[in-house]
C-alpha cells in the first residue's frame, strides 16, 4: 500500500489539474508540466543514497532499485513520470545494466498499469508508452535486447556514423532497431538529440533517466529543466577509488557556474522515510 505524504509544495510549479483522481490521491497532490517552445521540456529522475551515490558499481547490483531498496513509492513516482513522458532517454550503460527492462510506466509499477494507461489517454497521448531512446555514441548497444522486439513500444538508438558502422558490422545491413545518426565523433551533442526528438517524434516532455555520464552532458549544456530526486535513507560510500558516481557524473563546475535550483516540492514515504524532491534547475 502506497503512502506518499506531501511535506512542502512551492508556488513555482504549474498547478492546473492534470492527474486522474486515483493518481492524484496516490501522489498526494497534483503533477503538471508546461510545454516549452522549440524543444522538449527535459526532466531528470534519479534515486540517490544520503551520501549522493546513484550506482553501487557491483555487477548485477548497480541499478536504481538497489539504491532505492526497491521502494514502491519511488517506483510509483518513476511510473508516473514515464506515464507523462513522450520519450524516456537513457545511456548505453544504464541500458546494459537493466537486461529485459522496458522503460514504460507499467513495467516499473505494475500495480498502477491500467491507471497509467488511462492517464495517458486522459492527457491526449497518442501512444500507450513513451518512446524508449537508447544513446550509444560508439554503437555498443545490444540490439538483441527484448526491448527492440516489443510490439507496443517504439524504441530507437541515437548514435554517430562510427557507432552505426559498428552496429552494422555486428548485426548486418538490416538492423533490428531504428537508429538515428547524429553529428559527433563518439559523443553526441545533447541539443541535437533533443532537437531530433522534438522534430521527428513530437516529443514535448523528455524524461531523462541517466546514467550520470549521459545526464552530465545535458547538465553541462543547461538543458535539464527539472530534477526529480529521491533520497533513499542509506549510506554506502564512494568506494575505495571513488568509483561510485553521483547523478552529475564527471561534471566539475566552478563555484560561479554552480547550478543553483529552486525547490518545487518535497514528499515523503511515510513508512520508509524516503524523500522525494522536485527541483527546477
Ligand atoms: N540511481 C539511479 O537513479 C540511476 C539512474 C540511471 C542509471 N543508474 C546507474 O548508473 C550506471 C550507468 O551510468 P554511467 O554513467 O556509467 O552510464 P550511462 O550514462 O548510462 O551510459 C554511458 C554510455 O552511454 C553512451 N553515452 C553517454 N553520453 C553520451 C553522449 N553524450 N553521446 C553519445 N553517447 C553517450 C555511451 O555509450 P557508447 O559506449 O555506446 O558510446 C556511454 O558509454 C548504471 O549502474 C545504472 O544502473 C542509476
Amino acid at each position: 500500500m502506497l503512502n506518499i505524504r506531501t511535506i512542502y509544495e512551492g508556488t513555482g510549479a504549474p498547478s492546473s489539474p492534470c492527474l486522474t483522481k486515483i493518481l492524484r490521491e496516490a501522489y498526494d497532490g497534483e503533477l503538471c508540466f508546461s510545454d516549452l517552445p522549440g524543444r522538449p521540456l527535459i526532466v531528470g529522475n534519479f534515486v540517490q543514497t544520503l551520501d549522493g551515490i546513484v550506482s553501487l558499481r557491483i555487477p548485477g547490483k548497480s541499478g536504481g532499485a538497489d539504491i532505492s531498496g526497491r521502494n514502491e513509492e519511488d517506483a510509483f513516482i518513476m511510473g508516473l513520470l514515464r506515464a507523462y513522458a513522450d520519450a524516456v532517454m537513457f545511456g548505453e550503460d544504464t541500458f546494459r545494466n537493466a537486461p529485459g527492462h522496458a522503460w514504460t510506466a507499467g513495467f516499473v509499477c505494475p500495480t498502477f498499469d491500467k491507471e497509467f494507461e488511462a492517464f495517458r489517454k486522459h492527457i491526449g497521448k497518442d501512444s500507450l508508452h513513451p518512446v524508449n531512446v537508447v544513446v550509444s555514441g560508439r554503437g555498443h548497444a545490444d540490439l538483441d535486447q527484448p526491448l527492440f522486439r516489443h510490439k507496443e513500444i517504439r524504441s530507437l538508438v541515437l548514435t554517430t556514423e562510427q557507432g552505426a558502422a559498428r552496429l552494422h558490422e555486428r548485426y548486418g545491413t538490416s538492423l533490428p532497431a531504428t537508429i538515428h545518426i547524429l553529428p559527433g565523433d563518439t559523443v553526441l551533442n545533447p541539443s541535437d538529440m533533443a532537437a531530433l526528438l522534438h522534430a521527428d517524434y513530437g516529443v514535448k516532455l523528455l524524461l531523462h533517466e541517466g546514467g550520470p555520464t549521459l545526464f552530465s552532458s545535458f547538465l553541462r549544456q543547461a538543458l535539464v529543466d527539472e530534477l526529480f530526486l529521491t533520497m533513499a535513507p542509506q549510506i554506502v560510500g564512494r568506494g575505495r577509488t571513488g568509483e561510485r558516481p553521483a547523478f552529475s557524473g564527471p561534471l566539475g563546475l566552478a563555484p560561479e557556474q554552480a547550478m543553483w535550483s529552486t525547490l518545487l516540492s518535497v514528499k515523503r514515504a511515510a513508512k520508509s522515510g524516503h524523500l522525494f524532491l522536485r527541483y527546477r534547475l
Side-chain angles (χ1 to χ4, degrees), residues 28 47 63 86 95 122 124 134 143 178 219 224 228 234 254:
D28 194 32
V47 54
D86 299 301
F95 181 52
H122 169 71
V134 186
L143 304 187
T178 304
L219 284 173
V224 183
F228 284 74
Q234 63 160 328

Side-chain angles (χ1 to χ4, degrees), residues 169-201:
E169 204 175 294
R170 189 163 162 203
Y171 297 98
T173 42
S174 60
L175 294 176
T178 304
I179 64 163
H180 285 277
I181 299 174
L182 288 170
D185 195 6
T186 54
V187 175
L188 305 176
N189 186 333
S191 53
D192 289 345
M193 300 188 237
L196 173 106
L197 294 173
H198 192 257
D200 288 17
Y201 294 88

Side-chain angles (χ1 to χ4, degrees), residues 47 54-55 57 62 92 94 136-138 140 188 209 211-214:
V47 54
V54 299
S55 172
R57 294 283 194 225
S62 66
E92 189 277 329
T94 297
S136 177
R138 289 172 299 174
H140 288 135
L188 305 176
E209 290 202 12
T213 306
L214 179 62

Side-chain angles (χ1 to χ4, degrees), residues 45-48 53-58 61-65 67-68 74 78 90-98 135-141 158-160 166 186-190 193 208-215 217-218 245-247 249-250:
N45 183 33
F46 280 90
V47 54
Q48 70 171 38
I53 304 300
V54 299
S55 172
L56 298 178
R57 294 283 194 225
I58 298 171
K61 292 182 180 166
S62 66
I67 299 293
S68 81
D74 179 60
M78 187 186 279
F90 39 93
E92 189 277 329
D93 197 77
T94 297
F95 181 52
R96 184 154 27 90
N97 277 289
V135 180
S136 177
R138 289 172 299 174
H140 288 135
L158 306 186
T159 190
T160 59
R166 184 189 290 259
T186 54
V187 175
L188 305 176
N189 186 333
M193 300 188 237
H208 201 310
E209 290 202 12
T213 306
L214 179 62
F215 194 63
S217 66
F218 279 71
F247 68 75

